Amino acid sequence: MRIVQKFGGTSVGSVERIQNVAKRVKTWTDNGHEVAVVVSAMSGETNRLTGLIQQIDSNANRREQDVILSSGEQVSMALLSIALHTLGVKSESFFGWQAGVQTDDAHTKARILNIDSKKVIDALTEKKVAVIAGFQGITEKGSVSTLGRGGSDTSAVALSIALDADECQIYTDVDGVYSTDPRVVPEARRLPYILFEEMLEMASLGSKVLQIRSVELACKYEVPLRVLSSLTPIQENLSLEKLGGTLIIPESKMKTMTKTMEDPKISGIAFNRDEAQIKVNAVPDSPGIAYKILSAISDCNIEVDMIVQNTSNNDLADFTFTVNRSDYARAMEITKKTSPIISADNVIGNDKIVKISLVGVGMRSHAGIASKMFQILAQENINILIISTSEIKISVGIDEENLEKAVKALHQAFELEKDNISEEN
Ligand code: ADP
Ligand code: ASP
Ligand code: MG
């Protein structure tokens, strides 16, 4: 089989960990598989590099930022290749450009356009492990680019497509995707399977275990994608069936498993600590108000997340929306300028809110999930500031101090620690 394995920052966080990764990779080559490995920078390194840039210029030229940011992965790739050599495994390391990762020129958040994987395939054919720097590529102009935070996941999936790999394995510091972040709820349960659709929602609603773009790509090209731990003991006799972790699968495949599945309503709880809320009070309830408030925001390239409007009896409405905390100051400034134009009373901001979301395709066929969610939060005396729903998710904005209490209470009330799907498939 041809396997792409991605090792994240913690997995390559020290020399010992890198040596351990080399041992893990060796068990795959010893079992006759072709392995391409994508590596992240050692943990903390990308933050460190970002900090250096910020010390000089918080608005530094993005092309130059990428030159710096891409350096972290280059250290890991060569260290891993050297570690493999010491174990007698043939390997060769590749910069993004050497692996043919072509991107657009949106520096610091570039998108992969194409991968010309010839050199990597040549290495695999020569029975070498190809070790590729994640997170980086090259623009058409020949400049180094990076793919946005968490981008090595996307490098790995894109490479899996280019190499027509049998599986893309994302090794990290937890042994799979959990019902919620196990750092916040220790009782969280590993999900043996999760649907692409659910994983997309979880990732976009704040579960950073996979970069959202990697899930989008894997879904579009139906790449078999698995999340597993790089910190568990290494198995000598490998078989995909016994690997564990979490497989991310299409709905059609999940349907064949329904005999062992109790049709869970909720698969997981995601949360995002980076929300901020802006409320425009007492605007006239007339056509064009939402447009005027939000167009001013989007003209400045600020993304709006949740939106709600409440109308009162005297033809005045309160209009509330949320943005990412990093855009809060700017969004407040813009909205305060719009406020007199639309004859609003005043604008109130709160940059200490978080968003908690219940996610699950089972919600489509079960009424009452939202009311149960609101009931649990009420029992915990947690005030809901804003709500938004879609077919397979319900999100609420609440004060950040209530985050842990809310996630724990919801996890327990929806019995997410209980096993409702069998792994025997
Ligand atoms: P890496 O450096 O390997 O890319 P990340 O830190 O990006 O690792 O992702 C792994 C982390 O994601 C875990 O340590 C965990 O705290 C967090 N996480 C958030 N939500 C979940 C979830 N639902 N299941 C598993 N991990 C989650
Ligand atoms: N090193 C980059 C980051 O920390 C990319 C990655 O790890 O996926 O965001
Ligand atoms: Mg990551």
Side-chain angles (χ1 to χ4, degrees):
M1 279 194 308
R2 182 174 281 178
I3 312 280
V4 171
Q5 302 185 325
K6 177 254 170 177
F7 290 90
T10 319
S11 310
V12 295
S14 65
V15 165
E16 290 72 34
R17 291 249 166 105
I18 290 176
Q19 288 169 317
N20 204 40
V21 167
K23 283 186 201 145
R24 197 174 286 276
V25 171
K26 182 173 185 292
T27 59
W28 287 85
T29 53
D30 283 351
N31 278 266
H33 301 298
E34 287 181 348
V35 186
V37 183
V38 172
V39 284
S40 287
M42 295 169 81
S43 57
E45 181 61 6
T46 311
N47 287 345
R48 188 183 74 86
L49 297 169
T50 308
L52 291 178
I53 298 169
Q54 298 289 324
Q55 281 179 47
I56 297 183
D57 181 1
S58 58
N59 200 20
N61 176 284
R62 290 181 184 265
R63 180 191 176 280
E64 303 309 324
Q65 290 194 39
D66 276 350
V67 176
I68 301 167
L69 293 176
S70 58
S71 67
E73 272 66 16
Q74 296 169 22
V75 173
S76 315
M77 81 190 198
L79 286 176
L80 178 58
S81 190
I82 292 167
L84 284 163
H85 295 164
T86 64
L87 299 179
V89 178
K90 289 199 288 179
S91 79
E92 190 177 332
S93 63
F94 294 84
F95 291 94
W97 65 267
Q98 291 172 320
V101 182
Q102 188 83 51
T103 74
D104 63 17
D105 59 5
H107 283 288
T108 71
K109 46 176 191 271
R111 288 192 164 259
I112 297 177
L113 300 174
N114 176 42
I115 299 189
D116 174 3
S117 54
K118 188 179 169 310
K119 283 196 182 128
V120 173
I121 291 177
D122 286 349
L124 297 178
T125 313
E126 289 165 25
K127 302 263 173 268
K128 286 181 187 161
V129 171
V131 184
I132 297 124
F135 181 53
Q136 56 169 265
I138 190 157
T139 67
E140 270 157 353
K141 285 187 192 149
S143 301
V144 172
S145 52
T146 66
L147 309 178
R149 297 308 302 267
S152 298
D153 296 333
T154 303
S155 308
V157 171
L159 201 72
S160 303
I161 297 163
L163 297 177
D164 197 17
D166 295 283
E167 187 166 291
C168 178
Q169 301 175 345
I170 307 286
Y171 286 88
T172 183
D173 55 4
V174 283
D175 66 344
V177 178
Y178 277 66
S179 49
T180 194
D181 190 338
R183 287 178 208 265
V184 171
V185 182
E187 298 77 32
R189 191 175 58 85
R190 179 175 61 83
L191 306 171
Y193 306 97
I194 184 165
L195 298 180
F196 273 114
E197 219 179 338
E198 293 173 325
M199 194 62 236
L200 272 174
E201 286 285 9
M202 292 281 281
S204 73
L205 295 167
S207 300
K208 290 181 183 137
V209 58
L210 286 175
Q211 195 197 36
I212 180 163
R213 280 160 53 195
S214 70
V215 190
E216 277 167 6
L217 253 191
C219 178
K220 185 165 163 198
Y221 289 89
E222 297 193 351
V223 178
L225 184 62
R226 192 192 296 267
V227 176
L228 59 176
S229 171
S230 69
L231 308 176
T232 50
I234 297 172
Q235 300 170 17
E236 290 301 330
N237 298 317
L238 291 171
S239 83
L240 282 185
E241 289 71 40
K242 297 206 175 105
L243 259 190
T246 299
L247 258 186
I248 298 144
I249 57 173
E251 199 158 3
S252 54
K253 195 158 176 224
M254 185 67 107
K255 288 207 172 108
T256 65
M257 300 173 181
T258 45
K259 61 182 185 306
T260 52
M261 207 176 83
E262 260 183 44
D263 192 14
K265 300 179 188 72
I266 308 292
S267 295
I269 304 177
F271 51 83
N272 183 357
R273 300 178 197 264
D274 292 330
E275 297 271 333
Q277 174 183 272
I278 296 176
K279 189 170 175 205
V280 190
N281 282 321
V283 286
D285 191 12
S286 58
I289 292 298
Y291 168 71
K292 281 188 186 134
I293 297 172
L294 296 183
S295 60
I297 296 285
S298 68
D299 285 350
C300 293
N301 278 328
I302 296 176
E303 245 174 76
V304 169
D305 185 7
M306 295 188 276
I307 304 171
V308 71
Q309 177 172 327
N310 338 8
T311 317
S312 62
N313 295 335
N314 47 5
D315 283 342
L316 292 174
D318 295 335
F319 188 89
T320 310
F321 61 96
T322 65
V323 294
N324 193 288
R325 269 186 212 182
S326 58
D327 293 323
Y328 173 70
R330 183 106 184 83
M332 269 301 270
E333 196 184 312
I334 296 163
T335 312
K336 279 185 176 161
K337 279 192 193 141
T338 315
S339 171
I341 302 171
I342 55 173
S343 312
D345 224 23
N346 59 0
V347 181
I348 298 174
N350 177 0
D351 67 345
K352 301 266 178 300
I353 78 160
V354 291
K355 179 170 71 173
I356 298 186
S357 310
L358 298 183
V359 175
V361 290
M363 243 183 246
R364 285 190 197 126
S365 49
H366 289 89
I369 306 277
S371 62
K372 181 166 172 183
M373 181 184 199
F374 304 155
Q375 182 195 8
I376 308 303
L377 295 174
Q379 279 165 3
E380 297 292 325
N381 207 14
I382 295 171
N383 192 26
I384 299 173
L385 304 169
I386 193 162
I387 301 167
S388 97
T389 63
S390 76
E391 211 190 5
I392 67 162
K393 70 121 206 280
I394 306 167
S395 303
V396 295
I398 61 170
D399 275 330
E400 70 175 10
E401 62 183 28
N402 290 322
L403 173 76
E404 298 207 351
K405 189 163 80 161
V407 176
K408 283 184 177 144
L410 290 167
H411 196 273
Q412 198 179 15
F414 283 95
E415 300 184 330
L416 298 186
E417 73 289 352
K418 283 198 187 154
D419 196 3
N420 47 23
I421 177 168
S422 163
E423 295 199 42
E424 305 302 320
N425 276 286

